[in-house]
Amino acid sequence: MASPTSTNPAHAHFESFLQAQLCQDVLSSFQGLCGALDVEPGGGLSQYHKIKAQLNYWSAKSLWAKLEKRASHPVYQQGQACANTKCLVVGAGPCGLRAAVELALLGARVVLVEKRTKFSRHNVLHLWPFTIHDLRALGAKKFYGRFCTGTLDHISIRQLQLLLLKVALLLGVEIHWGVTFTGLQPPPRKGSGWRAQLQPNPPAQLANYEFDVLISAAGGKFVPEGFTIREMRGKLAIGITANFVNGRTVEETQVPEISGVARIYNQKFFQSLLKATGIDLENIVYYKDDTHYFVMTAKKQCLLRLGVLRQDWPDTDRLLGSANVVPEALQRFARAAADFATHGKLGKLEFAQDARGRPDVAAFDFTSMMRAESSARVQEKHGARLLLGLVGDCLVEPFWPLGTGVARGFLAAFDAAWMVKRWAEGVEPLEVLAERESLYQLLSQTSPENMHRNIAQYGLDPATRYPNLNLRAVTPNQVQDLYDVVAKEPVQRKSDKTDAGKTATGSVGTQEELLRWCQEQTAGYPGVHVTDLSSSWADGLALCALVHHLRPGLLEPSELQGLGALETTAWALKVAEHELGITPVLSAQAVVAGSDPLGLIAYLSHFHSAFKSMPNSPGDLEGPTSQLSTGTSSAVLFLGKLQRTLQRTRTKENGEDSGTKKLRLQVEAETPSTEQPSVPEPNVPLTPPPQHQEVGTEDVCTLCGEHLYILERFCVDGHFFHRSCFRCHTCEATLWPGGYGQHPGDGHFYCLQHLPQQVHEEDSNDGSPDSSEIPIPGDSSMPPDPSTPTALPEAASPAPSPSQPARRLIRLSSPERLRLSSLAITPDVDVNAPPKPPRSCSALALQALEGSFVGWGMPAQGPQVPKAMEQGEESPSSSEEEEEEVPLESDLEQTLLTLSKNSGTMTKYPTWCRTLMRHAKEEEMKRFCKAQAIQRRLNEIEAALRELEAEGTKLELALRSQSSSPEQEKKLWIEQLLHLVQKKNSLVAEEAELMITVQELNLEEKQWQLDQELRGYINREETLKTAADQQAEDQVLKKLLDVVNQRDALIRFQEERRLSELASGLGAQG
């Protein structure tokens, strides 16, 4: 409650200080406060204690209590831990200010320089739970009453800077505005210290300031001299940010935020956006803060087509330069995307103004991100040591869709302050650097899930934040190059070429080693005599023998009698691809003719690198683990079978295989199959696949007709392509494994979003192009037509026997359907038993509330909502302290029970609504971040593969040339080529693993959508349902069953893969 009008001018200045929303107002009100109290600003913790002692004002007491609680942590030693340390912090961004606050609490003298004179960035930052708790502990609610009161946890950059600036000023940080740091000035003689080179005209006191710690938080554009920067590149990625005026009207407050929608798992939304507006996006996010903030990733071709970009340039800086961007078209683009995403409910969208008074909309490039190879250095001259540390974007540039920037930035600020504390304690410099680099190794791996759960205990000590901490992961000997007498080397930027993919395990070996291994694997087979890596393989028998030795159940030598060399080779290539995951890089004709010896060597090297550690006896691979290959990536095998299953299904749906039933999943009641490896059915004749290629066609891309080198070859259904050519025929997007289809009508390949569909009776899945079916693990799809129709499971019935008669239709009641729609299947091995039915009215009400709520991202896992409530989920109240939950009283229980029967009245209970909304947004955010991490890694893999292809092309040209190169040099080139082939296979395997996760996200999204649709029907009164409603409900339930079955099949596949890897590890130890 406000006090009566006060005559104390300090009180008025303090209130102005709290409420100030402009940087200059903050500074002027703080100067007035210090003047009224006769306190010199910038005096460190002593200044804070003087203000606190003199300002005995009711409005300040709660703030003093919070700051005192933080300062009382033992690590600060009552402000004496770094009492003799002088620090210079460069940059007043959130991370620089947060680092300055920690250094001030340690008792150091802190001077901060910032080249800007005001805070004007409206862009909004996502906050992790620990950052919210940390900011609350610094008095965030006191400075900004709306802090984290919405359905999503975020804050604008400007508000975050204002909040931290006020804390820093109170703690005695000396701040200078409009001053640019340009470099270091070493001590000219013994006894002097390090100074900063500043522009344009710093005051004499600042110019002569000598410090022994420099913390750089000046952003990715500026890194102090001596640090090496590594570039992590992906394919072209264009981001667009837009800030619209938030009038805070009732209508605006009711528009739900979008924590993230990504094309990779929700193609239907982006297809609708493209159809309605012509805008083609990869993702979009909407946060409601001081402004309506939208950020999205747009496709270049779309921007060119809509006139946002004037001309296509290969150079990204020129492409997105101001001369090539049409401002009016960019504004129309952002406004249309925002209007569509919010269903036009924000009304007339008016752009907020940026620092220059222009509409706050911008296009930026995040194709490449910079990362410092080290986080700290020590420089010494004339006996004066200087500790340098990096925080914020100049340490690691964040990938914005993941929302990790401010969270990891704060962690880096804490780690840097801990480093300064250790430095002040007199720890040896190399020991300090080794500890800091050990912490830096953890930074890129941190997430809310893998940090300590008790965020209330977080402090400056890294042990309070990181579980399983090892501060000796990096030794002092490993950081000796970070200790310079005088830094002379300029900043280097080197491309992350070699680190873009997984490091290939093991050595590739020489050509002689490969030949020797092939001879060992094929020894003892009749008619097989391997003497070289070319002509010995022409009859196909050696290749069949190799496949048979690795998987005896796939090929029987006796079945190959009577087949010619071409048919035998073609069959072996197909079996190796479908059952071993060895993708061909040359055709059967080339093997028989011996026209591509380098291609054959590269192909055989894949067998060698994948199976060289396999037990010699094939009999060692029995049991359930034998269903998956022990050498090649099981994900490659799975995606291959998935792609063939999809293609067969679509072919049948389009009428090309009439008379057969659509392939269905068979969900078995027992555990995953433990039978022997699948073999071709005996009643299926051993007929080789049709061959349409002529000798040498693998040297030419099927689409562009240009020459194909070995590392460029991408094989699909026996045809070879450039990876850069294998794109969607409609949108030209890269086609990922398991994420495309071939239209049987025109023969073109399409992404699932643009794959032409023909509407059929009941299984069209509402025209959704991504109605994929997951093949059962261990099911062999190697024979040309092995697909035997299987039946759907019968709900609530025991496992059917093989002789069980035809299926009978079972009608489920509405409660049973509701429970089915909420079924959650997760791959966790330690999953709890299925939840019991609700026992109380409150649980029933919660379940009904969750089921009736329709909004962005409500998860299908119903039982999770009560769990979140029981754990005391934070209420989005605007009060300063968190609210505690109270048990439901009897009258409230009765009210909620009534509510559960009439869920349409949910809007009368805004607190429940906000709680459920918050939980839904959190789940949506997790899915979005996971999808964006996958998308970014896929882009990096694509860029790395392009670089490998370029290197391989050079080597192949050298090997195929007619120059009289020494044999020793040619052998070296071949070894280098095989090494590149192995790196490519490793990247392809990682790509397949990521696409398996994409399948999980797709199925999760589809289950949520079908769940919402089913709940809409279930919530209707049975008496009011028409026959059409009942039929539609049955169809939705049928589709939901399919999705649940597919998720179950995917999880069984993952379990078999886990068992296979476990058995392989035990075998290696034995």
Side-chain angles (χ1 to χ4, degrees), residues 749-1059:
F749 292 94
Y750 297 86
C751 65
L752 295 181
Q753 180 181 353
H754 297 113
L755 182 63
Q757 296 290 306
Q758 295 186 16
V759 180
H760 292 279
E761 299 177 8
E762 296 178 354
D763 52 357
S764 62
N765 202 19
D766 294 336
S768 176
D770 56 350
S771 57
S772 59
E773 293 189 354
I774 306 298
I776 297 175
D779 177 37
S780 174
S781 58
M782 189 277 303
D785 286 306
S787 53
T788 303
T790 55
L792 281 170
E794 295 191 39
S797 66
S801 63
S803 59
Q804 189 170 347
R807 295 172 296 162
R808 61 188 179 88
L809 181 64
I810 293 181
R811 180 77 63 180
L812 298 179
S813 65
S814 292
E816 290 173 328
R817 295 181 181 185
L818 181 61
R819 288 196 294 272
L820 173 65
S821 69
S822 299
L823 179 62
I825 304 178
T826 60
D828 296 335
V829 295
D830 57 345
V831 66
N832 297 325
K836 296 181 180 180
R839 296 181 180 178
S840 65
C841 294
S842 60
L844 284 170
L846 277 172
Q847 194 175 56
L849 283 169
E850 181 217 5
S852 62
F853 179 72
V854 178
W856 287 85
M858 172 61 68
Q861 292 83 348
Q864 291 181 355
V865 174
K867 180 179 178 182
M869 300 292 293
E870 291 168 3
Q871 292 176 349
E873 183 177 356
E874 182 181 55
S875 172
S877 170
S878 60
S879 62
E880 184 175 347
E881 303 297 335
E882 293 80 4
E883 296 180 359
E884 296 183 0
E885 284 200 31
V886 295
L888 296 176
E889 300 189 9
S890 57
D891 56 344
L892 181 56
E893 273 202 10
Q894 186 60 40
T895 302
L896 290 175
L897 183 59
T898 305
L899 176 63
S900 68
K901 296 179 180 179
N902 185 13
S903 55
T905 62
M906 179 181 173
T907 53
K908 297 180 181 179
Y909 298 86
T911 302
W912 288 92
C913 178
R914 287 199 304 268
T915 301
L916 294 175
M917 184 77 153
R918 173 179 288 271
H919 183 75
K921 295 300 183 182
E922 289 173 354
E923 293 300 316
E924 184 183 47
M925 174 65 75
K926 290 179 182 178
R927 186 163 65 248
F928 176 73
C929 291
K930 191 173 184 179
Q932 292 312 297
I934 292 172
Q935 186 70 59
R936 176 67 191 185
R937 184 58 192 149
L938 288 173
N939 292 341
E940 290 176 354
I941 289 175
E942 186 177 352
L945 286 172
R946 284 199 302 266
E947 294 172 352
L948 288 178
E949 290 170 0
E951 294 180 43
T953 298
K954 294 178 182 178
L955 282 173
E956 189 175 347
L957 285 172
L959 285 167
R960 293 183 185 275
S961 64
Q962 300 299 321
S963 61
S964 56
S965 302
E967 287 298 320
Q968 191 66 27
E969 188 175 18
K970 289 184 178 180
K971 288 183 179 181
L972 179 61
W973 288 344
I974 290 178
E975 290 179 21
Q976 292 175 352
L977 182 65
L978 295 182
H979 180 66
L980 294 179
V981 169
Q982 185 174 352
K983 290 178 66 177
K984 175 187 174 181
N985 293 335
S986 178
L987 287 172
V988 170
E990 183 186 0
E991 181 182 64
E993 295 283 352
L994 294 174
M995 292 309 300
I996 293 293
T997 310
V998 170
Q999 293 294 333
E1000 295 176 1
L1001 292 173
N1002 277 328
L1003 291 174
E1004 183 180 344
E1005 179 72 13
K1006 286 166 67 175
Q1007 181 173 342
W1008 172 79
Q1009 291 175 353
L1010 291 170
D1011 172 70
Q1012 293 300 308
E1013 190 174 354
L1014 181 62
R1015 289 169 185 267
Y1017 288 111
I1018 292 176
N1019 287 340
R1020 299 181 190 177
E1021 291 290 340
E1022 293 289 338
T1023 56
L1024 300 179
K1025 292 182 182 178
T1026 64
D1029 291 338
Q1030 188 64 53
Q1031 184 179 7
E1033 183 179 344
D1034 292 340
Q1035 288 300 315
V1036 173
L1037 178 62
K1038 183 179 178 182
K1039 295 173 186 177
L1040 186 59
L1041 274 170
D1042 286 343
V1043 171
V1044 172
N1045 292 344
Q1046 291 173 46
R1047 292 188 71 182
D1048 177 63
L1050 186 59
I1051 291 163
R1052 285 193 288 142
F1053 156 76
Q1054 292 175 328
E1055 178 63 14
E1056 288 195 12
R1057 180 173 59 176
R1058 186 185 67 84
L1059 293 175

Side-chain angles (χ1 to χ4, degrees), residues 100 176 366 456:
H176 296 268
F366 62 101

Side-chain angles (χ1 to χ4, degrees), residues 348-390:
K348 183 179 179 181
L349 291 169
E350 179 183 351
F351 282 99
Q353 302 297 307
D354 63 12
R356 301 180 181 178
R358 299 176 303 187
D360 194 352
V361 57
F364 63 98
D365 167 45
F366 62 101
T367 302
S368 62
M369 296 182 297
M370 302 301 176
R371 176 188 177 91
E373 289 201 337
S374 61
S375 58
R377 300 186 71 87
V378 172
Q379 296 183 12
E380 180 179 348
K381 187 174 183 181
H382 295 310
R385 292 174 177 172
L386 175 67
L387 177 65
L388 298 94
L390 304 180

Side-chain angles (χ1 to χ4, degrees), residues 29-104:
S29 59
F30 184 73
Q31 290 284 350
L33 175 64
C34 291
L37 299 176
D38 195 22
V39 174
E40 184 69 25
L45 280 182
S46 60
Q47 170 220 278
Y48 161 73
H49 290 301
K50 291 178 182 178
I51 294 177
K52 176 177 175 293
Q54 297 186 49
L55 191 63
N56 189 19
Y57 179 43
W58 69 269
S59 182
K61 289 182 179 179
S62 61
L63 180 59
W64 302 148
K66 287 184 175 294
L67 294 179
E68 284 296 316
K69 183 178 180 180
R70 178 75 184 193
S72 65
H73 288 190
V75 70
Y76 300 118
Q77 299 175 15
Q78 296 182 347
Q80 297 300 311
C82 298
N84 298 319
T85 304
K86 296 180 179 179
C87 304
L88 177 68
V89 178
V90 180
C95 299
L97 287 167
R98 190 64 189 87
V101 167
E102 286 302 307
L103 294 172

